Amino acid sequence: MEKIKTFIHRLFVPHEENNFRAKSLHTDFLTVYLVIAFLMMMFFKQNSGLHNVLGFATDISIEKLNQLTNEQRQKNNLPSLLINSALTLAAQKKAENMLAENYWSHYSPDGKTPWDFILGAGYKYEYAGENLAKNFLFSNGVVDAWMNSTAGHRENILKREYAEVGYAIVNGVLNGEQTTLVVQEFGKPMGSVQAKEISVPIVESKPQQILAQKTVRPKINAFNFTFNLNIVFMAFLLLALALDFYYASKFNVIRVGGKNTAHFLFIVFILIGLFMSTIGTII
Amino acid sequence: MTKHLYSNLKKEFKNHLFDYLILFTAGIFFLILLNIFRGQRVIEFFVLISFAFFYIIWGVYHHIVNETLHLKTVVEYILIAFIIIFLLKIIILP
């Protein structure tokens, strides 16, 4: 116990035994962190088995999107949406079309509408809608963005009339940039009841698409693991910097070394940037 | 503890106000650029690299001005900047 205490003390508190600088901030320790970060980077790059989707580092899955969507509906006392294979096919076709024709919109340059894809997949609907997203890193980021949207995405998710849903999550190059597209197609099949309502109340709001590739998800979510590891490591560095700064100030220690406050500021900005990068775009 | 930390931080920022203003401005600029180029992974990564290199240059400049420049100090800035670059490359550009 005493050994652990001494080790932690040496790791975080500047005193004569660690040359008046927290051991965790010594250049030899920083070099070890650097080597570990480099090895992780190389391992992640070369081990294709760690890629969730076609080499794109995202943690978006149909299961999670559907779970989060239905959670939102349940919170609003609405029935859960069932995944429909025709709507899934429509979402897949829509995403593929966006990548093939290089557009980011509900409507293709040659005039194809979301409803064309839904009908083309053999889904005859009474109500239909579409949500699109791109460049998100996490499923909850996508659903949160839709739920916070005032442009019709939220209305799509919470529309009482919808009974079924289809998703696609597809990676590709859009406008010269590697992108993960997410398409969500909603629908209520044309039933015997109220079949007279032939005019389709299309939810014009904003379609978001999710092309769900035939993704084989790895058992270990390497991306999520790495993301969390980054957060933990940066938090550790921030803690070490703060403690070192505090004790050095308290004991009036004067030493040669970088400025903890500058390192702290730099890492805080990086952390904010990291969280910003998890946010994509919806239409 | 908080009071002690606060007073020392205040002293540090007050003594080097101009330097920290530059670093802070660069940080804000970094976040603005990330927001502008959100989703464009290659550009995002170059923005990150630019900020990291700026941070190293800032460190060298700051210590030259304060006459505390030492090889060990420069290495420390370089190590921290590159740790961050390697870690974030996994996220931004796998």
Side-chain angles (χ1 to χ4, degrees):
Chain A
M1 193 65 195
E2 195 58 39
K3 274 186 182 176
I4 296 171
K5 211 173 154 185
T6 310
F7 176 73
I8 291 173
H9 189 256
R10 209 173 281 179
L11 205 61
F12 292 109
V13 183
H15 62 294
E16 66 276 3
E17 279 182 43
N18 54 22
N19 204 19
F20 298 99
R21 176 86 165 159
K23 191 76 183 157
S24 54
L25 298 173
H26 278 207
T27 45
D28 51 350
F29 265 64
L30 291 175
T31 309
V32 171
Y33 306 152
L34 182 74
V35 170
I36 292 171
F38 179 75
L39 290 177
M40 269 177 63
M41 184 185 78
M42 296 309 290
F43 182 69
F44 199 85
K45 189 179 173 65
Q46 287 177 10
N47 193 335
S48 57
L50 288 180
H51 292 168
N52 281 355
V53 192
L54 295 175
F56 289 64
T58 58
D59 183 28
I60 302 175
S61 68
I62 291 176
E63 296 78 16
K64 190 73 181 169
L65 286 171
N66 194 47
Q67 180 200 328
L68 293 168
T69 299
N70 281 330
E71 276 175 12
Q72 292 297 334
R73 287 180 67 87
Q74 280 158 15
K75 273 184 203 166
N76 289 277
N77 298 317
L78 295 167
S80 293
L81 298 172
L82 300 172
I83 290 188
N84 177 278
S85 58
L87 286 175
T88 300
L89 179 66
Q92 185 74 29
K93 293 285 179 196
K94 166 77 180 197
E96 285 168 1
N97 187 255
M98 286 170 77
L99 293 173
E101 296 189 23
N102 204 31
Y103 67 94
W104 169 237
S105 165
H106 291 293
Y107 303 96
S108 77
D110 60 4
K112 275 187 203 138
T113 68
W115 333 121
D116 292 334
F117 291 99
I118 294 173
L119 291 170
Y123 189 90
K124 290 183 181 167
Y125 62 82
E126 190 175 343
Y127 295 89
E130 180 184 73
N131 280 345
L132 299 178
K134 67 170 182 173
N135 289 331
F136 282 87
L137 294 184
F138 298 101
S139 302
N140 56 354
V142 177
V143 176
D144 286 349
W146 284 338
M147 287 305 292
N148 292 329
S149 164
T150 54
H153 305 91
R154 179 188 166 87
E155 286 74 7
N156 268 351
I157 289 175
L158 300 181
K159 196 168 171 72
R160 181 172 293 278
E161 286 78 8
Y162 294 147
E164 294 172 338
V165 68
Y167 301 90
I169 305 161
V170 173
N171 292 300
V173 177
L174 190 70
N175 297 320
E177 125 195 14
Q178 291 187 332
T179 307
T180 300
L181 291 174
V182 180
V183 182
Q184 186 180 38
E185 304 282 15
F186 300 93
K188 180 186 179 184
M190 186 82 81
S192 52
V193 185
Q194 293 178 344
K196 55 188 176 188
E197 283 190 43
I198 292 178
S199 62
V200 182
I202 292 172
V203 179
E204 291 273 357
S205 42
K206 301 221 171 179
Q208 299 166 344
Q209 299 181 338
I210 298 173
L211 282 181
Q213 207 115 22
K214 304 121 193 168
T215 304
V216 179
R217 289 179 63 76
K219 282 172 188 162
I220 299 169
N221 189 332
F223 177 74
N224 208 358
F225 173 77
T226 312
F227 187 86
N228 289 334
L229 195 68
N230 274 3
I231 303 294
V232 169
F233 176 72
M234 284 188 220
F236 168 78
L237 263 188
L238 289 177
L239 176 72
L241 288 165
L243 286 174
D244 183 71
F245 179 79
Y246 171 73
Y247 285 110
S249 307
K250 192 177 175 185
F251 304 141
N252 285 319
V253 174
I254 299 168
R255 70 261 171 109
V256 174
K259 282 287 174 73
N260 284 13
T261 38
H263 297 328
F264 199 91
L265 258 182
F266 175 66
I267 295 170
V268 166
F269 275 116
I270 292 292
L271 269 176
I272 297 171
L274 182 61
F275 281 109
M276 278 174 63
S277 73
T278 64
I279 304 166
T281 313
I282 58 171
I283 59 167
Chain B
M1 179 177 171
T2 315
K3 197 180 167 187
H4 192 70
L5 195 67
Y6 176 73
S7 66
N8 280 298
L9 270 176
K10 199 175 159 188
K11 201 168 119 188
E12 172 68 16
F13 287 130
K14 203 176 166 184
N15 289 343
H16 309 286
L17 185 62
F18 178 71
D19 292 5
Y20 282 106
L21 266 180
I22 292 176
L23 185 61
F24 194 79
T25 308
I28 296 291
F29 199 57
F30 162 70
L31 294 179
I32 290 171
L33 284 176
L34 270 190
N35 196 38
I36 290 172
F37 297 110
R38 191 189 295 176
Q40 299 180 51
R41 300 291 180 197
V42 176
I43 300 177
E44 278 183 349
F45 187 61
F46 277 110
V47 170
L48 168 71
I49 287 182
S50 306
F51 184 48
F53 274 90
F54 171 84
Y55 167 70
I56 295 169
I57 294 165
W58 181 92
V60 173
Y61 157 80
H62 176 78
H63 288 278
I64 286 175
V65 168
N66 291 285
E67 298 177 349
T68 53
L69 189 66
H70 190 279
L71 180 64
K72 201 174 121 183
T73 313
V74 180
V75 170
E76 188 176 314
Y77 282 91
I78 292 172
L79 285 172
I80 289 183
F82 274 85
I83 290 168
I84 297 294
I85 288 174
F86 289 156
L87 285 177
L88 265 73
K89 187 182 177 297
I90 302 170
I91 305 289
I92 299 174
L93 271 185

